[in-house]
Amino acid sequence: MPTTSARLLALLSLLQSRRDWPGTLLADRLDVSLRTVRRDVDRLRELGYPIAAIKGPDGGYRLGAGTQLPPLLFDDEQAVALTIALQVAATRSATAAASASLAEPSTDSLAEAAARALTTIRQVLPARLRHRVDALRVTAVERPTARPAAPVDPGLLLAISAAVHATEVLRFDYGSGVRRAEPHHVVTWDGRWYLIAWDLDRHDWRTFRADRITLRTPNGPRFTPRELPGGDVATYVTGKFRGGTSGNWPCQGTVILDLPAATVALYTRDGLVEEAGPDRCRLTTGSWSWPALAAAIARFDADVEVIGPPELTSAFTHLAERFARITARSAA
């Protein structure tokens, strides 16, 4: 017969796995008497777990939400997922805090709280998990997005991070072929997970979506890490998704919009918004091409005055001519 502590953990695990449990079924699953189940439930209540009794022929129990945080019980997958989430929260909030105004101190507080929680979780992890999560290094380059995240197996993220930590070549299926790469970093950007790596067959840096990677084992030989373009992973990834490696958009321009600065700031993900008079603002922003930049500015549905450069004015002319042709064809 298991010890009392082991039996309490087993009982708590069962209560977490479904909403309602008949007392007789719990007794059967734990291989104890119904009286023992009642005593164990009372012990868990003393520890702070809000377990409600359910009326019925056999009676039953339900684990509810309490006013205090009792001891928590996680399986291996939950512990790994929690560690990943806390790393993302800590790095993402720290990045946001670095660019936030003095009137917005909450991001820094969240980063510190996430870091403290990560330390607390690590201290109570069993050794077999602690070594795995210690190899996990995640950078949250971009702020959160409304787009649903692509599902990624936490075990895959751990395996990739372990290869990054050990500087071992990864072999994996990607698309229609097998890739060999020197893994550099795991990042999350705009709701997706990516591996930044040096592609050994293409002799260049590549960004691989983690949800499309199928690892092959074993890993390859160890390697000497290369210097990432841009100097750090955040600069590289930001530039990569903006069409370059400097972290800046390849096309940047400035306009005056006939809208209040507060309104434009609500819908400006990247860029600088400044007041330019009553119900007017100055917007400096960028995109991967001049037509794309002009289209992004046009979405504000307001009169626009282009400050510069001339390429942006030409892009507006190009779009106007294109839309005029579309209108003409539709009217014909």
Side-chain angles (χ1 to χ4, degrees):
M1 184 174 180
T3 64
T4 300
S5 58
R7 197 175 62 246
L8 288 177
L9 289 176
L11 173 57
L12 182 57
S13 180
L14 289 173
L15 289 171
Q16 290 178 150
S17 65
R18 56 184 278 182
R19 179 174 174 81
D20 297 331
W21 277 94
T24 52
L25 182 56
L26 282 174
D28 182 64
R29 294 289 293 272
L30 296 171
D31 195 22
V32 297
S33 67
L34 187 58
R35 182 179 179 182
T36 299
V37 170
R38 286 195 291 266
R39 287 201 304 264
D40 287 348
V41 167
D42 288 338
R43 291 189 180 101
L44 288 176
R45 286 169 175 163
E46 292 174 358
L47 291 173
Y49 290 95
I51 302 175
I54 303 172
K55 295 180 180 180
D58 299 325
Y61 301 97
R62 175 186 301 162
L63 180 63
T67 58
Q68 296 180 341
L69 184 65
L72 300 177
L73 179 66
F74 299 107
D75 59 28
D76 287 5
E77 289 185 357
Q78 290 173 323
V80 170
L82 180 60
T83 302
I84 293 173
L86 287 172
Q87 277 212 26
V88 171
T91 56
R92 174 177 285 154
S93 300
T95 302
S99 58
S101 67
L102 294 178
E104 299 174 328
S106 59
T107 51
D108 189 44
S109 300
L110 179 58
E112 293 179 1
R116 291 199 308 271
L118 188 60
T119 299
T120 301
I121 292 295
R122 184 191 176 281
Q123 289 174 343
V124 299
L125 286 176
R128 69 178 187 280
L129 285 182
R130 190 182 307 120
H131 295 317
R132 294 173 65 194
V133 300
D134 281 349
L136 183 65
R137 292 294 181 269
V138 175
T139 297
V141 180
E142 187 72 323
R143 60 186 172 182
T145 178
R147 183 176 65 186
V152 178
D153 179 11
L156 172 67
L157 296 179
L158 282 176
I160 294 175
S161 293
V164 172
H165 184 73
T167 61
E168 293 177 344
V169 171
L170 279 177
R171 300 183 306 122
F172 53 91
D173 295 320
Y174 194 83
S176 58
V178 179
R179 311 296 280 269
R180 297 182 310 121
E182 298 175 353
H184 183 277
H185 216 89
V186 178
V187 303
T188 174
W189 168 282
D190 201 23
R192 290 197 174 107
W193 294 90
Y194 295 90
L195 165 66
I196 308 302
W198 175 265
D199 192 312
L200 291 170
D201 297 314
R202 290 158 179 78
H203 307 290
D204 198 5
W205 290 98
R206 289 291 188 270
T207 304
F208 302 98
R209 273 183 52 173
D211 58 302
R212 296 176 179 174
I213 290 176
T214 301
L215 291 179
R216 293 193 171 203
T217 55
N219 292 343
R222 301 194 65 176
F223 62 90
T224 301
R226 304 169 189 265
E227 184 177 352
L228 193 66
D232 62 80
V233 66
T235 301
Y236 172 78
V237 174
T238 302
K240 191 71 174 178
F241 284 96
R242 293 176 176 179
T245 58
S246 65
N248 296 320
W249 289 111
C251 302
Q252 297 186 72
T254 302
V255 299
I256 299 292
L257 291 173
D258 283 350
L259 284 173
T263 300
V264 174
L266 288 174
Y267 304 100
T268 301
R269 185 165 187 169
D270 292 304
L272 175 64
V273 182
E274 305 168 282
E275 292 187 0
D279 296 329
R280 302 186 82 210
C281 69
R282 179 187 181 98
L283 171 64
T284 300
T285 186
S287 188
W288 56 273
S289 73
W290 293 111
L293 179 57
I297 294 171
R299 69 190 175 92
F300 286 104
D301 192 22
D303 287 341
V304 178
E305 176 187 346
V306 177
I307 303 301
E311 290 85 351
L312 181 55
T313 301
S314 299
F316 274 111
T317 302
H318 173 71
L319 289 181
E321 293 172 348
R322 175 181 294 171
F323 294 151
R325 291 193 296 271
I326 293 173
T327 303
R329 286 197 298 267
S330 301

